[in-house]
Structures are given as C-alpha cells and as structure tokens.
Amino acid sequence: MTRWFGAAVLAPLALLLGCGSQRNRSPASSVQSAGDSLLARGESLYVTERFAAARSVWTVALRQSRAAHDSVREAWVLTWLGLVAARLGDVREARGLGEEALTLKLRLGLSKELSPSHHALGLVALSENRNEDAVRAFEAAMTTARAANDTKGIAKAAGGLGLAYTYLGDYPRARESHRAARDAARRLGDIRLEANGLANEAMLDIWEGVAPPAIARLDTARALYRRVGFGAGEENALGQLATAFELTGEEDRAFAALDSALTIARRLGLGEEEADLLRLLGGLHVRVGDYRRALRYYAEAEALMRGAGLAANLGSLLRGSADAEVRLGNLPRAEKRLREALRLHLASAEPSEHLNDLLLGAEIDFRRGGMERAGPRLREARTVADRLNTRGTRVAVALAEADLADRANDSRRVLGALRGAAPNMAAGDFGSEWLASALAARAHARLGALDSAVIEGRKAVAAVERLRGGLASEALRATYVTDRAEVYGDLVLALLRLNRSAEAFAVADGARSRGLFEHLTTARTGTSGALTREMLEGESLLRRIDSLVKRLQETAPRIPRERGAAAELAGAPILAALSDARSHYEALVLRAAQGDLRSDAVLGVRPARLDQVREALEPGEVLLEYLLTKDRLLLFVVTRTGLQTLESALDGPGLSQRARLIRDLWSVPSADWKHGLAASRALDSVLIAPARNAGVLSGAKRILVVPHGLLGQVPFAALQDQLTGHFLAQDYAVVHLPSAAALAVLRGRLPGSGGTLEVGEGFAPFPDQLPSTLPELQALRASLPGVEIRTGRQATESAVRRALAGGGLVHVATHGILNVNNPMFSRIELSRGLDAGEDGRLEVHELLGMQIRSPLVFFSGCETGASLEWTDDPLRGTGDLTLAQAVLAAGAGNVIMTLWRIDDAGAAVFAGRFYRNLTHLPVADAFSAAQREMVADARYVSPYYWAGYTLSGTGRLGAQDASAASVPVREGLGPRSQQSQRSRP
C-alpha cells in the first residue's frame, strides 16, 4: 500500500515575492530626482512584472554607470539586477550581483542602502538551501534597517526570518516573525507586503499539517494580490493552495491551482517558480498513482533547478523522485536519489524535510530487510517528529509505523499506532483518512473482528471514492484507484467472510476505472483568456508534433509490410524531441480536464447493482468479474439466476510472467507456438477452471469477461482447458466489458428489435504497402453488399471521422501504432486529406473528443487494444488509455481490436470469416465462429492469427440483434453445435 506523508513545500523565493522590490528608499527613486529616467524605466518595468525587459534596461544603465565612473549609481543598479536575476531563476548570477552591490555600498558608506542588499542575499541563501546563512543575512538586514529607521525594511526582514526559521523547524519563532511582518505591513498600508505575510504564515500552517487556516489565509492573500495586480503574488498563493489541497486530499483542486500557477509563472518568466511548480506536479502525480508521468515532471524540474543552481527544493524533488521509483520497484535508483536528498537536507538543517526523508528511507529499508532493518530510521523519525511537535509530523510518523506494521502482519501494532494518530487527525483530512481507515480495516480483519473491518473498510472506500470523484480526467482516476485497489479488495474479502456477496460484488466492480472513459475535451464552460491560451498552447504543440513526425518520416521512410511494425527505427534525436512534445501535450490535456473544462461522463460511472446486471444478461450468458488483491484472486460469477464467488491464492509475479510469456510467444509467427500452451493452461487453471469446476459454465454459450489490472491484456480466447485441450474460444463466445455496471448501460441504449444495421464503410489507406487490406475490404463487401469501400487517398482521416459519427459499421484496415511512452498518441494511420489540420493520424486523444455512433468498429491494425507496461505487479501500468477504450468511451456499441501485431494476410482471412458469419449471427457469436474457423484451419491454427483479436462492448447490434443483412437473427450456438462449425472453410 502506498503511503502519503508530509506536505509538499514551495520554493523559498516564491514565498517572499515583493520583499525586495518595494524598499523604503529604492535606488530608482533616489536617482530619479537627479533626472535619471533610465533607472526609473527599469523600476517601472520591474514593478509591473516585466522582468526580462527590466533586466535589459538595467544592463544598459550598468554600462553607463561604469563608463561614467558613478559608483553610487552602479551600486543601485547592481542591487536591482540581482533582484531581477533572482526573479528569473538565475540564482548564481543573483548572488554574485548582490555580493558585488553590498561590497560597493560598504566601501561608499551607503549605510541606508545596506538593508536591501542583506535582504536580497538572504533570499538567495534560501534559494541555495543555505538556511543558517539566510538567518544571518536577514538579521543583518534587520539591524541595518533599524539603524536607518527603515520601517518597511524591518517588516521585510521579519518576513525573511520567519521563512528561515520555518525551514529550520523553529515554528514558534517563525509564526511570531510572520505575524510581525504582516502587522507592520498593515500599519504601513502596504497591501503587497501584507499579502506576503499571509502567504508565508499559510505555508507554516501547511508545514504543521493544518490545512483549513492555510486555505483561508491564502484566499485572502489572493484577493489582496488581485487588488494591486500582482500576478507573481497570485502565482505564489496558488502554488501554496495546491499543497494545502493535497493535505485535505482534494487532488482535483490541487491540479487546477498548479495549472493556473504554472501559467502565470511562465507568462512572467519566473524560472525558479516554474521549476518548483513542475516538482509539485510530479508529487501530485505520485499521489494519484501516475508514476511514469511523475518522473517526467521531476526530470524536467531537476534540469531547470540544477541548470540555475536552485538547491532550495532539489532535495525534496529527489525524495519525490525516489518515492516514485520505489512504487515502480526500482529500489537501487530510489536509494541513490534518497541519499542525495538526505545529504542536502542535513546540510541545510531542515528537520521537516529530514523527517520525510527518514520515513521514505524506513520503507526502503523494510523492503530490503523487514521491520528489524526499518526500525532505526523509524525511531530516528519519531525523535525528529517529537522535536518539531506538530500535528502533521505526529500523524505522518504514526501512519508510517502502522503501514510498516501492516506489511509485517503485526495487526495489534497497527491499531496501536493508529490510536496514537487519531487525536491528531483533523475532520475532513481525507488525504490521511483513507489510509488510516484502510490500515485499521485490514488489522481488524486479521484479528477476526469482521464487523469492525467492514465499518473501517467502508470509510476507506468512501474516502477514496470522494477523492477519485474530484478528478475530472478518467486517465487520472484509473491510476488513482489502481494504486488503492487493496482498499476495495480488503472490504470485499470482509464482506464475503460475512456472506454478504451482493455487497461484495458491487464494491469489486468499483475497483477499476469503470472502463468507459470520460471525454477529456468536451463542452467548455466559457471562452476565458486562460482557455484561449490553453487552446493555443495545445495547437502549437500539435503543430510541433506534426512537424517532427514529418521529419522522422523523411529520416526513416521505410514502412514495413507487417501491420504496426515499428516504422520509427531511425532518427533518435527527432524521436526524443517528439516524445518530449507529446508528453507536454498529454500533460496539457490532463491538466485541462482538471481546470475550466467540464467533463461529460459517457458510461459506467454508476455503481454495479446485481439485479440490474442479472437482468441485462441473456440466456446462456455468464459474466466473470475478476478482482486482484495483494495475495488473492476473487472471481464473481453472475448468471441470470444468481451470484457465486470463488477465491484462490494469487501469485502476482507468476501471473504477470505467464501473461507476458504468452504475448512473447504468440505475438509473432512461429512454428514453436505450442511452447506457449503450458502458460496458457496455467492461466486457464487460475482464471477459468475454478468456474468450470464449480459447474457455473454448464450450458453457457457466451462468457462476458470483466478483467482487472493486467488481465485486460490476457488473450482469454486462447486459454486452454487442460482436460479437453480446447481453447476457450472453441467452447464459448468471449466478450470483454470494462465493468459489470457498463453492461446494463450499454445494452440499455441498443436500438429495439426489428432494426437493421446502417451498413457503413470500410477503409484501406495503404493497399500497396499492405496488399491484403484490399481483399479484406472486398470480403467485407461480399458479405455486406451495401458497404462503401474507400482505399488509398480516399481513406482519409476526415472520412473515417465522418463514418464513426454515422450509424453504420466502420472497418479500418491499416497500420496501428502502440505508443508505450505516450499512450494518448497511440494511433491508426490514414491518408492525409485536404481538411485543415488533418495529419492522417487518428490518435487516442482525438478519439476521446469525438461522438461515435457506430454500433460496430473494427480496427484491423496492430496493438490497437494493447497497453504494455509489464511489471511483476499485475495491477501496475494498467491505467493507460488504449484505442479500444477510447472508441468505447466515445460511444461505440462494439469494438474489435488487437492485442499484438497481426499478419497482413491472416487479417484478411479473419475479417472475411467474421463478416460472413455476421450475416446470420449476433456480433459475439460471429466473432467466436471466426476464431473457431481459424483454429480448424491448419494454416492459421497458431494463436498468433486469431487470439490477439478481442471484442468489447454489447456483443450484439440491437436489443434482439437484427443482422447486418436484415436476416432474422439466429441465436448463438452452444458449445457442442459451435464445434461443428470449425470445419467450415
């Protein structure tokens, strides 16, 4: 189970916005009296947040001052240049300029101008993680400000000291300093400085683990910043709000706040703030279980920080990166990064950061050697927490101890640790509530207190659902719930022990992404400037992606004959740039879904009701819903007459390895394909045999599979019965569903009986490169004469889009490209049309924005239904969007996709047999009949030719399934009569 301890911390410089910009005696104001308009112009630009322009003006002023040997003016200009360098993230330059200015002022005896220089150097020290040096600099700023009777300088120095004390863990002195700064600002009537004081005290609230007062202070600070038009201040407040929302578990609001803050930081050119916001986005993606994307954000932020010498939050970034690596099982890499984080935090004497380092280190130690090895770091963490003495630190250590005790199966220690945390848990602290309840539920279950386990389990699930419900992007919801699957699994197990199987089934169906994803690019609530910028940024990225793809095609023009074979074999630098641009676009789409866009649910977001699922089943159908837990595999078998639950021990790594072995052996043509049968039989013994042995498949014609985690990549049709030697497809029609709840919804919107299929269109954009695609379409039209065929230049992206929006069948025979690094850019390739912006690539992110009305979509490409992120954990890497999921999400009734690269000639044969059967059979039965015929044909008996195809959706075209040719529907055949069809040519 994943831990979440401590709060993310913003860059120190970001929390002192304005502290060096509006001094009591500014250099420009003094020189302006002597008629120096150049410095006045620079100050005007700086105050209005045009920092790069201000730097240019002052650079000219510096040259003039030195040419005129005007040392006083030079000192003023150096001070300003140091401040603007700090704003733009050039910390090394800021430090050099600041020290040069201070030296010059001391030599010239400019005592009244010393406080601003000391203060600026204090800011730089915070950015460089030199907190004790920062204290000395701010104390010097305070002393010189008092000597000069500079009340504003005194207030700013107090604010700087408050931040330094915060990082050093001296929270009482920090709060006293922040309040002194805020009170002084209010007396002076300095709105900016007052807002800074509020934001800084809010940061202290966050460090102490109390979010509600922080949110209230930050809302007030934002209002003040807006009143004076201080965008950089609002960026700071938004970033702080994101950390407060993380404490309350409101990741949706945190995403929106960070996205708005990042927009401001980039607009103003705030380099340090941009780097730190990227770090916070990385941490937020860790929280929702999207570890690969988190590492991308961390890498981008780390490059910016190291390049600019920004050390203040580098340690926190390294720890966050280490946490993501731990979740992905990369312990050596995690340990290396955590060691550097520990070194940085010990050097900067930051106890709160050190505490979080120790807690992550304890987890790594536990994975290496159990509780005994984790003990020393856990005890050290408790000592640090006792010294800090805050609610947040006490909760963090208690949850860490409970989590490790849970993994060690020490249930009494779990409950003891949670009792210690309970007095410090705040109402509405959902970020910790779900974990505390989940740990308590498991401990009670182990101790046999099942009623208590159910009570705590329901609280945990309710907290997870509440938090998941706030994520507008279903891609994030999928990773979020995947990362917390044990919460559902534990409650399911407890309910089953109490013989409450219907309740258990409903909970189990919630432990998945609910399959049909929401639109990420649907109706907008307005056309604000922020949305316009967002759209422009997306369009710019897409244009860059298109340009890079064209360059890549010029570099590696060869397109292999096999459908979906990687054409991107050369041009490594272009590929790297392309992957980076796609990652940025994916991030933009996900953030957009959390911001000002309204998401419209397509299907499947309602909880499963057993009675509705049973009513949606037809005679001869059995629904198998799987749930993977830490060490158990649960199988719910639903028929029209009842529900049965089956349970077995789960070997997660073994399951993953067998699934991968099947893919490795059967995803390529090979005479040795039978070597995969042992793995196929082993998977059958785990996934199908329990239901078969229990007799629940007796008389069944169709199996509706609701997979979980990695099982979505298992070719169920090719699982082999050890006793009969039959593949599953030889005895049953196999249909995949994203969730049980989706079945009733999908079938509920089918047209009524007596209807016919609006025949539709077939597309083959590359008949020369893929010669069998033309016979494939000819076979389609031979079975369904009304189908319109488009080949070559007529098979354009816009034509396919129009067909998908219509009410007929859509068949596309082309290249399919699985993009593992950027799943939203997995695609099918089509001809370029004349429409503006048409690139000939229909990608996942585009499908999600469409309204598809086709009752049957057949993408006869390669890996169009695949999602490949292989780990030993069968739940990891299963949140990626695939083409199949995107098509269902957009409204298709049925979709046929492929799990691996398919053979060109074999694809034509399979499609021909499927469509011939579709003239007189429902979709599901026509599909399984085609698979059986391939098995019976010696040329195509290898699962390579037929097992990679999967059918997802309703399994039929209408409520009573009128056939495509308007022929009265013949119900699907049972196992015995189906086998007689295998001899058909």
Side-chain angles (χ1 to χ4, degrees):
M1 179 174 292
T2 303
R3 293 187 291 101
W4 305 114
F5 306 125
V9 184
L10 280 173
L13 186 59
L15 297 166
L16 279 164
L17 289 168
C19 287
S21 63
Q22 294 287 309
R23 295 190 295 281
N24 197 34
R25 285 188 63 197
S26 68
S29 60
S30 298
V31 179
Q32 187 179 4
S33 63
D36 194 334
S37 61
L38 193 61
L39 285 186
R41 173 61 176 161
E43 182 178 3
S44 174
L45 290 168
Y46 184 90
V47 170
T48 55
E49 302 180 293
R50 287 174 286 178
F51 302 120
R55 171 189 267 178
S56 298
V57 170
W58 284 327
T59 300
V60 174
L62 181 62
R63 287 200 302 269
Q64 291 181 353
S65 300
R66 286 172 173 169
H69 303 288
D70 188 344
S71 299
V72 173
R73 186 168 179 253
E74 180 183 352
W76 289 330
V77 177
L78 286 169
T79 302
W80 277 116
L81 281 171
L83 288 169
V84 78
R87 281 278 185 263
L88 296 173
D90 297 334
V91 179
R92 295 189 187 95
E93 181 181 351
R95 183 178 184 183
L97 291 167
E99 290 174 346
E100 188 178 357
L102 180 59
T103 300
L104 194 53
K105 288 177 181 180
L106 288 170
R107 180 166 61 81
L108 296 172
L110 300 175
S111 59
K112 292 186 177 182
E113 295 296 336
L114 294 178
S115 181
S117 286
H118 286 301
H119 188 84
L121 288 171
L123 298 181
V124 172
L126 288 178
S127 292
E128 293 181 326
N129 221 27
R130 297 180 291 109
N131 297 314
E132 292 174 341
D133 288 345
V135 169
R136 288 188 284 271
F138 290 130
E139 286 175 342
M142 179 73 76
T143 300
T144 53
R146 284 172 175 163
N149 197 28
D150 180 359
T151 54
K152 188 171 289 188
I154 293 171
K156 293 171 182 175
L161 282 169
L163 275 182
Y165 291 146
T166 298
Y167 301 135
L168 292 169
D170 191 345
Y171 296 152
R173 291 178 71 183
R175 195 171 292 279
E176 181 182 353
S177 296
H178 287 319
R179 288 181 175 172
R182 195 179 71 209
D183 291 343
R186 191 177 293 117
R187 288 194 301 271
L188 290 166
D190 191 319
I191 293 176
R192 246 190 225 192
L193 195 56
E194 181 183 352
N196 290 342
L198 283 166
N200 289 337
E201 191 168 356
M203 186 197 71
L204 184 59
D205 293 331
I206 292 169
W207 280 59
E208 290 181 330
V210 283
I215 293 171
R217 289 190 173 97
L218 289 166
D219 285 340
T220 304
R222 285 186 69 194
L224 293 175
Y225 286 135
R226 286 199 208 98
R227 189 190 306 174
V228 295
F230 190 30
E234 186 166 8
E235 175 276 324
N236 163 44
L238 284 165
Q240 293 284 19
L241 273 171
T243 65
F245 291 143
E246 283 190 66
L247 277 180
T248 61
E250 298 172 281
E251 278 83 5
D252 55 327
R253 299 180 72 185
F255 271 113
L258 286 179
D259 188 49
S260 298
L262 190 60
T263 298
I264 295 173
R266 286 173 170 166
R267 174 170 56 84
L268 298 177
L270 304 176
E272 182 169 5
E273 286 78 1
E274 179 182 355
D276 204 51
L277 291 167
L278 290 170
R279 174 185 69 86
L280 293 175
L281 278 167
L284 200 48
H285 278 279
V286 170
R287 286 180 66 89
V288 299
D290 192 351
Y291 304 125
R292 290 180 300 154
R293 199 175 306 277
L295 288 173
R296 291 175 189 166
Y297 276 116
Y298 283 135
E300 188 177 355
E302 184 177 357
L304 292 173
M305 288 184 182
R306 291 193 188 275
L310 300 169
N313 282 304
L314 180 59
S316 178
L317 180 151
L318 291 167
R319 183 184 61 244
S321 175
D323 195 6
E325 297 287 8
V326 168
R327 309 304 153 201
L328 291 171
N330 302 324
L331 291 188
R333 196 176 308 165
E335 287 175 312
K336 180 180 178 181
R337 298 185 75 75
L338 184 61
R339 278 196 299 271
E340 187 177 358
L342 277 163
R343 177 182 61 77
L344 290 171
H345 290 143
L346 286 172
S348 61
E350 295 180 83
S352 183
E353 294 284 10
H354 185 212
L355 172 64
N356 287 332
D357 294 341
L358 290 169
L359 293 177
L360 180 59
E363 178 172 356
I364 293 174
D365 287 345
F366 181 88
R367 292 179 182 237
R368 293 291 195 193
M371 206 67 175
E372 183 176 354
R373 183 165 176 174
R377 270 188 171 156
L378 198 57
R379 287 190 292 272
E380 186 179 355
R382 194 177 297 111
T383 299
V384 175
D386 289 342
R387 177 158 60 88
L388 288 169
N389 194 31
T390 68
R391 185 190 77 85
T393 55
R394 289 191 290 271
V395 169
V397 174
L399 288 179
E401 181 179 0
D403 181 45
L404 296 182
D406 170 68
R407 300 184 197 198
N409 295 321
D410 188 345
S411 298
R412 298 194 184 280
R413 185 171 179 178
V414 170
L415 296 175
L418 293 176
R419 280 193 294 271
N424 298 293
M425 297 283 285
D429 189 358
F430 305 128
S432 300
E433 180 188 37
W434 77 267
L435 179 57
S437 294
L439 292 170
R442 192 175 301 118
H444 284 307
R446 287 197 188 107
L447 294 171
L450 295 179
D451 288 331
S452 296
V454 169
I455 291 171
E456 291 293 338
R458 289 222 176 266
K459 286 167 59 178
V461 167
V464 169
E465 288 290 327
R466 186 185 302 116
L467 302 180
R468 172 169 73 163
L471 295 171
S473 163
E474 183 63 20
L476 294 178
R477 289 187 187 185
T479 57
Y480 185 87
V481 76
T482 292
D483 205 47
R484 291 156 178 78
E486 289 182 26
V487 176
Y488 296 85
D490 292 336
L491 177 56
V492 167
L493 287 170
L495 289 168
L496 290 176
R497 302 289 186 273
L498 291 170
N499 296 317
R500 293 157 64 176
S501 56
E503 293 177 65
F505 171 71
V507 173
D509 201 53
R512 62 201 73 241
S513 64
R514 298 192 178 112
L516 298 183
F517 292 84
E518 296 177 355
H519 289 286
L520 298 181
T521 54
T522 51
R524 299 177 182 271
T525 57
T527 56
S528 66
L531 282 177
T532 302
R533 287 193 302 272
E534 187 175 79
M535 293 167 65
L536 289 174
E537 183 182 354
E539 289 300 317
S540 175
L541 281 168
L542 288 175
R543 284 195 297 271
R544 172 166 168 73
I545 289 166
D546 192 43
S547 174
L548 288 167
V549 169
K550 289 178 182 176
R551 288 175 55 195
L552 185 65
Q553 290 171 342
E554 293 168 0
T555 304
R558 182 179 67 84
I559 301 179
R561 181 177 181 277
E562 184 185 25
R563 296 189 204 182
E568 301 166 334
L569 302 175
I574 303 176
L575 276 173
L578 183 59
S579 178
D580 181 67
R582 285 168 169 167
S583 295
H584 276 82
Y585 185 81
E586 286 183 322
L588 177 69
V589 171
L590 291 179
R591 295 201 314 269
Q594 295 303 134
D596 295 323
L597 301 184
R598 176 174 58 86
S599 294
D600 293 337
V602 180
L603 286 175
V605 295
R606 64 187 63 180
R609 282 182 46 186
L610 181 59
D611 58 338
Q612 292 177 338
V613 175
R614 287 172 52 190
E615 288 174 8
L617 289 171
E618 298 171 356
E621 289 185 336
V622 175
L623 183 142
L624 303 181
E625 174 149 350
Y626 295 88
L627 179 66
L628 306 176
T629 72
K630 184 178 180 180
D631 55 6
R632 312 298 295 169
L633 186 147
L634 301 174
L635 173 57
F636 294 86
V637 184
V638 185
T639 64
R640 288 173 62 89
T641 58
L643 166 70
Q644 186 167 344
T645 58
L646 304 168
E647 181 182 338
S648 59
L650 174 66
D651 173 13
L655 181 69
S656 298
Q657 290 161 13
R658 286 166 183 152
R660 183 169 189 172
L661 178 61
I662 282 182
R663 180 185 174 86
D664 290 345
L665 290 173
W666 289 351
S667 64
V668 293
S670 172
D672 297 328
W673 66 269
K674 291 184 178 180
H675 293 168
L677 291 176
S680 171
R681 288 191 289 267
L683 286 173
D684 180 89
S685 68
V686 173
L687 302 176
I688 301 298
R692 188 188 296 118
N693 296 338
V696 292
L697 298 184
S698 178
K701 305 172 185 178
R702 298 181 191 155
I703 293 179
L704 309 182
V705 175
V706 183
H708 188 213
L710 176 71
L711 300 185
Q713 297 301 304
V714 171
F716 273 81
L719 300 187
Q720 189 180 54
D721 185 343
Q722 178 86 35
L723 296 177
T724 66
H726 288 184
F727 293 114
L728 194 65
Q730 291 178 271
D731 292 335
Y732 309 95
V734 181
V735 181
H736 286 69
L737 286 167
S739 68
L743 177 65
V745 180
L746 282 166
R747 287 188 169 171
R749 69 178 191 183
L750 287 171
S753 61
T756 60
L757 174 67
E758 296 177 25
V759 179
E761 299 179 58
F763 300 86
F766 308 113
D768 294 334
Q769 299 160 3
L770 301 170
S772 291
T773 57
L774 192 55
E776 186 171 330
L777 294 192
Q778 291 169 344
L780 164 62
R781 188 157 56 183
S783 297
L784 306 173
V787 169
E788 184 174 352
I789 300 300
R790 298 181 187 273
T791 63
R793 293 185 179 275
Q794 291 185 330
T796 63
E797 179 184 349
S798 57
V800 171
R801 285 174 176 270
R802 286 192 295 270
L804 289 170
L809 171 153
V810 177
H811 183 100
V812 185
T814 185
H815 295 291
I817 305 295
L818 172 67
N819 193 322
V820 178
N821 291 325
N822 304 106
M824 282 193 185
F825 285 86
S826 293
R827 66 189 187 273
I828 60 170
E829 295 190 340
L830 302 161
S831 293
R832 282 176 177 264
L834 299 177
D835 292 357
E838 185 173 333
D839 57 16
R841 301 186 302 274
L842 189 54
E843 296 165 330
V844 165
H845 67 90
E846 296 175 301
L847 286 164
L848 289 168
M850 296 176 60
Q851 292 287 346
I852 296 178
R853 294 183 56 244
S854 172
L856 174 60
V857 177
F858 192 151
F859 279 168
S860 183
C862 300
E863 303 176 317
T864 49
S867 174
L868 295 181
E869 178 66 14
W870 296 99
T871 71
D872 284 344
D873 185 339
L875 280 174
R876 286 286 168 260
T878 57
D880 287 336
L881 295 163
T882 67
L883 282 162
Q885 293 162 334
V887 171
L888 279 178
N894 296 277
V895 57
I896 298 174
M897 297 283 187
T898 58
L899 295 176
W900 52 66
R901 293 176 182 169
I902 60 175
D903 175 72
D904 190 31
V909 174
F910 183 88
R913 291 175 174 177
F914 166 66
Y915 286 119
R916 186 174 65 248
N917 286 306
L918 187 62
T919 61
H920 58 279
L921 291 173
V923 175
D925 299 329
F927 182 78
S928 64
Q931 290 181 315
R932 291 193 306 276
E933 290 173 18
M934 298 290 278
V935 174
D937 189 328
R939 297 170 297 171
Y940 302 111
V941 63
S942 167
Y944 166 67
Y945 295 102
W946 55 270
Y949 293 95
T950 63
L951 169 66
S952 299
T954 65
R956 49 177 53 251
L957 297 175
Q960 293 186 16
D961 210 339
S963 73
S966 303
V967 176
V969 175
R970 190 177 74 186
E971 286 298 326
L973 304 175
R976 290 181 181 275
S977 57
Q978 283 179 344
Q979 292 174 28
S980 66
Q981 297 294 315
R982 284 182 289 161
S983 61
R984 291 179 60 183

